[in-house]
Amino acid sequence: MTQTAPNEPADELHDLARESLPADVAERWIGLLRPGLRLAKADGAERVVGRLGGLPRLPEDWKWPVWEGHGPLSFIASFDCAALPQILDLDFPADGTLAFFYFDGQVGDGEAVVWPDNPDTWAGARVVYVPAGVPTTERLSPEGLEPYGEVPLAARAEATVPHFWHPIVHEAFGTMDDDHPVWDEEFRETVSAYSSGPEHRVGGHASPVQDTVECEVAHAVLGADVSWDDPRINEEARNWTLLAQFDSDRGAGMRWGDCGVLYWLIRPEDLAARRFDRAMLTWQCS
């Protein structure tokens, strides 16, 4: 089995920061990095920790997740918590399986869409936790749902960076004008280029397609009538962390809008208590 050592990806970003930023700024920026796990198609030498698509394994007495009034949710991905490298800074389950379901519009009238700012649509996304030792069986997709292609996934340790507009960046550096070194175009482009290919991820910072993902969830929780410049959004955003994100993936036949990404976020205290029903979904596309 091959696996990237947890310190290797961080070292690259540490070196980049120390070469590009003043010493004190570099160390503060490095302090914002968080360990994450990139889920990528497993090669022959890598341990398979989960998969995209295919058919899920669920306890026989569990009903397939459904958005009442609209139809069944599609199975997106699952992973074995016990198989994940133990590097995350989250109170993740030591064992058991997490499975992710999403209403992708294959059934229904095509008008129903999951929007984080509309609580009436939140039932269109679900995270299911199956504890270790619970007997499961492979479940066929409900009528009208075409399963996504199955892609075996391996977990590779990586250092993750916060979005440059994330509240913790402004908290670390205070008011930043256009000349601040962290805003340097070359530095930001180099950091952005650090990640390439489909970004399926567990833990760490979310990797946004557009705006700060944590702020989108915070706005949804506070209510759609809250102004986007309300300071409570930044306060609430710090209460949420990435559980997992799943990118568009040609191998699985997944495409979220225009090459978008699905993000599930959760409050750390809900993760510790295994309250996965409180996870929130948002999605972005280009």
Side-chain angles (χ1 to χ4, degrees):
M1 178 179 70
T2 61
Q3 177 181 304
T4 305
N7 64 322
E8 289 178 357
D11 285 347
E12 294 179 20
L13 286 171
H14 290 183
D15 291 344
L16 170 63
R18 289 168 179 151
E19 292 168 2
S20 307
L21 303 172
D24 61 329
V25 174
E27 296 310 313
R28 271 183 286 164
W29 189 82
I30 288 170
L32 301 179
L33 302 180
R34 292 180 58 201
L37 294 170
R38 178 180 286 251
L39 301 179
K41 183 177 181 180
D43 63 29
E46 291 181 301
R47 181 182 185 183
V48 173
V49 304
R51 58 199 171 91
L52 296 175
L55 298 174
R57 296 190 64 87
L58 297 172
E60 289 189 5
D61 60 343
W62 286 21
K63 294 182 179 179
W64 187 284
V66 169
W67 181 4
E68 293 298 334
H70 297 285
L73 279 57
S74 290
F75 171 61
I76 305 303
S78 67
F79 51 78
D80 177 2
C81 297
L84 298 178
Q86 301 300 303
I87 68 162
L88 299 176
D89 57 356
L90 298 170
D91 188 358
F92 230 78
D95 51 27
T97 301
L98 278 175
F100 298 80
F101 293 82
Y102 172 68
F103 187 83
D104 59 6
Q106 287 193 54
V107 296
D109 56 13
E111 297 296 324
V113 178
V114 182
W115 294 109
D117 279 340
N118 184 354
D120 292 339
T121 72
W122 291 356
R126 197 83 52 85
V127 180
V128 173
Y129 176 61
V130 182
V134 174
T136 61
T137 184
E138 186 175 84
R139 302 284 288 276
L140 296 177
S141 294
E143 183 178 355
L145 282 188
E146 181 70 26
Y148 289 103
E150 185 169 336
V151 178
L153 298 172
R156 303 165 186 172
E158 65 176 356
T160 68
V161 302
H163 189 222
F164 283 93
W165 285 265
H166 194 293
I168 66 170
V169 176
H170 293 276
E171 186 177 273
F173 298 106
T175 302
M176 295 187 295
D177 56 32
D178 292 342
D179 295 328
H180 193 283
V182 169
W183 286 109
D184 180 77
E185 184 175 357
E186 183 176 353
F187 176 67
R188 287 193 288 143
E189 288 181 353
T190 304
V191 170
S192 298
Y194 172 77
S195 297
S196 61
E199 285 201 80
H200 312 304
R201 179 180 295 173
V202 177
H205 292 294
S207 179
V209 177
Q210 296 181 344
D211 298 323
T212 306
V213 175
E214 294 83 354
C215 288
E216 282 193 2
V217 167
H219 185 263
V221 170
L222 292 172
D225 58 339
V226 172
S227 170
W228 277 100
D229 59 5
D230 191 313
R232 291 178 296 168
I233 291 178
N234 286 347
E235 294 171 9
E236 180 63 29
R238 288 191 283 269
N239 295 330
W240 292 84
T241 189
L242 180 70
L243 178 61
Q245 66 178 60
F246 298 103
D247 207 336
S248 296
D249 190 291
R250 182 175 298 178
M254 294 178 176
R255 185 181 177 113
W256 316 124
D258 187 6
C259 299
V261 181
L262 304 179
Y263 305 89
W264 272 274
L265 278 70
I266 194 168
R267 290 187 173 100
E269 61 267 27
D270 288 330
L271 174 59
R274 312 303 182 238
R275 295 188 291 255
F276 293 103
D277 59 313
R278 299 187 182 183
M280 288 281 294
L281 175 126
T282 188
W283 62 279
Q284 297 180 354
C285 63
S286 57

